[in-house]
Amino acid sequence: MKINWKIKLGIILLLTSIAMYCFAFFALNEHEKVIFYLVIDFAFMPLDVLVVVLVVEGIINKKEKENILEKLDMIMSVFFSEFGTEFLSKFINISNKNEKINKLLKDLNVWSDKEFNNFLKNLKKTDLEINLDLDIDQRKEFLTDLKQLLVENRGFLIRLLENPNLLEKDTFSNLLLAIFHLDEELERRDFNRDLIESDYKHLTNDINRVYSSLIYEWVNYLYYLKLHYPYMFSIAVRTNPFDDNASIYVNES
């Protein structure tokens, strides 16, 4: 339908242009002027194409990309509000030996732009690992909690993955894929039985993949809020899962 409409419009415009040139050529007897302006018009066509393709189209594409990224930021906000922050808390509660990273992220409310950028840059090079040196009962409890949380939010996560705009943000789409892989691994296991060590190590690798990506997206999301939406950044740091003393209540005393 769209192609036919464009072809029809092109034919109409082309015939209109030819008719006007013919009128000027035959009816007004301005042969030399018509030929002169026809040549000038053809001479400017490459410049017109250059301006439209390189400048106008570039501006349009940039605007479209900005709109897509803005929608992605809204998706990120929903993700962490509905699932991501609670999911991250599961890892924080069990990672009692990750004091360095926990203490670092506890104070991100006072980070400068440089500190945010440096952390994100370093995290891209080196993945974070969660300490899962747990006894048998702790393993079962932790993995069962993760499994239950993922099952409860599976529909929500699937709806996020269906969003075509996610193709513009590789890191977040990779996080969702890692979460779905972990979900599948956990769902197929019966945690009433004892896990053999090699299988537990395999699950630990899957968990670490999710953990590192999740922290990257969370910090990146908070940095975006800090730059563009300070009021949303405020509530995010007041509910910081890395801060044991975090409180939703504003206390400026």
Side-chain angles (χ1 to χ4, degrees):
M1 292 292 292
K2 291 184 179 179
I3 294 177
N4 292 337
W5 176 80
K6 290 181 179 179
I7 291 175
K8 290 179 181 179
L9 178 62
I11 293 173
I12 292 173
L13 293 176
L14 181 61
L15 292 176
T16 302
S17 180
I18 292 174
M20 293 179 68
Y21 274 115
C22 289
F23 175 77
F25 190 85
F26 294 107
L28 302 179
N29 294 319
E30 297 287 351
H31 300 165
E32 293 183 358
K33 287 185 178 181
V34 170
I35 295 174
F36 173 76
Y37 285 113
L38 184 62
V39 173
I40 291 298
D41 289 340
F42 275 108
F44 271 99
M45 282 183 64
L47 293 177
D48 292 337
V49 173
L50 179 67
V51 171
V52 171
V53 172
L54 297 185
V55 180
V56 177
E57 186 177 359
I59 294 174
I60 294 174
N61 290 339
K62 182 180 179 181
K63 185 64 177 178
E64 289 179 350
K65 189 170 184 178
E66 288 176 353
N67 291 335
I68 291 174
L69 291 177
E70 185 175 350
K71 292 178 181 177
L72 280 174
D73 293 324
M74 293 173 63
I75 294 174
M76 294 286 290
S77 179
V78 173
F79 171 79
F80 282 107
S81 297
E82 296 296 322
F83 170 76
T85 302
E86 182 181 0
F87 191 49
L88 184 58
S89 298
K90 296 290 184 183
F91 299 123
I92 298 170
N93 293 336
I94 206 70
S95 59
N96 52 6
K97 295 184 179 179
N98 288 32
E99 294 181 1
K100 184 177 180 180
I101 186 66
N102 290 357
K103 184 178 180 180
L104 178 66
L105 294 176
K106 174 183 177 180
D107 299 324
L108 55 72
N109 59 307
V110 294
W111 282 11
S112 64
D113 292 352
K114 183 177 181 180
E115 287 173 311
F116 270 103
N117 287 321
N118 287 340
F119 179 86
L120 294 171
K121 184 178 179 181
N122 293 333
L123 188 53
K124 273 191 172 182
K125 298 177 181 178
T126 307
D127 292 336
L128 297 175
E129 291 188 357
I130 188 172
N131 186 287
L132 292 175
D133 185 16
L134 309 173
D135 60 39
I136 295 177
D137 291 335
Q138 287 177 320
R139 292 180 183 183
K140 289 182 179 180
E141 182 181 359
F142 173 61
L143 295 175
T144 301
D145 286 346
L146 277 186
K147 178 179 179 179
Q148 182 179 354
L149 181 61
L150 287 169
V151 169
E152 291 173 352
N153 291 275
R154 187 176 297 157
F156 168 72
L157 294 171
I158 290 174
R159 289 194 296 273
L160 287 182
L161 198 59
E162 291 173 347
N163 194 311
N165 292 326
L166 288 179
L167 295 175
E168 297 291 332
K169 191 173 178 62
D170 292 338
T171 55
F172 186 58
S173 57
N174 289 338
L175 169 61
L176 288 180
L177 290 175
I179 291 175
F180 276 113
H181 176 74
L182 177 61
D183 180 29
E184 186 176 8
E185 292 276 8
L186 295 176
E187 185 183 20
R188 294 173 181 269
R189 285 174 170 78
D190 181 7
F191 294 117
N192 291 320
R193 301 169 51 189
D194 292 341
L195 287 174
I196 59 176
E197 197 62 33
S198 58
D199 194 43
Y200 183 66
K201 184 177 180 181
H202 176 82
L203 285 176
T204 299
N205 291 334
D206 292 333
I207 290 170
N208 278 326
R209 185 184 303 112
V210 171
Y211 175 69
S212 187
S213 297
L214 187 60
I215 288 183
Y216 178 87
E217 292 301 327
W218 184 70
V219 173
N220 192 39
Y221 167 65
L222 260 64
Y223 181 42
Y224 171 80
L225 294 183
K226 179 177 182 287
L227 294 178
H228 301 283
Y229 302 100
Y231 62 95
M232 294 179 66
F233 178 72
S234 173
I235 190 173
V237 297
R238 282 185 280 119
T239 55
N240 184 350
F242 288 94
D243 187 359
D244 295 333
N245 298 319
S247 172
I248 188 63
Y249 299 103
V250 179
N251 184 3
E252 298 180 350
S253 58

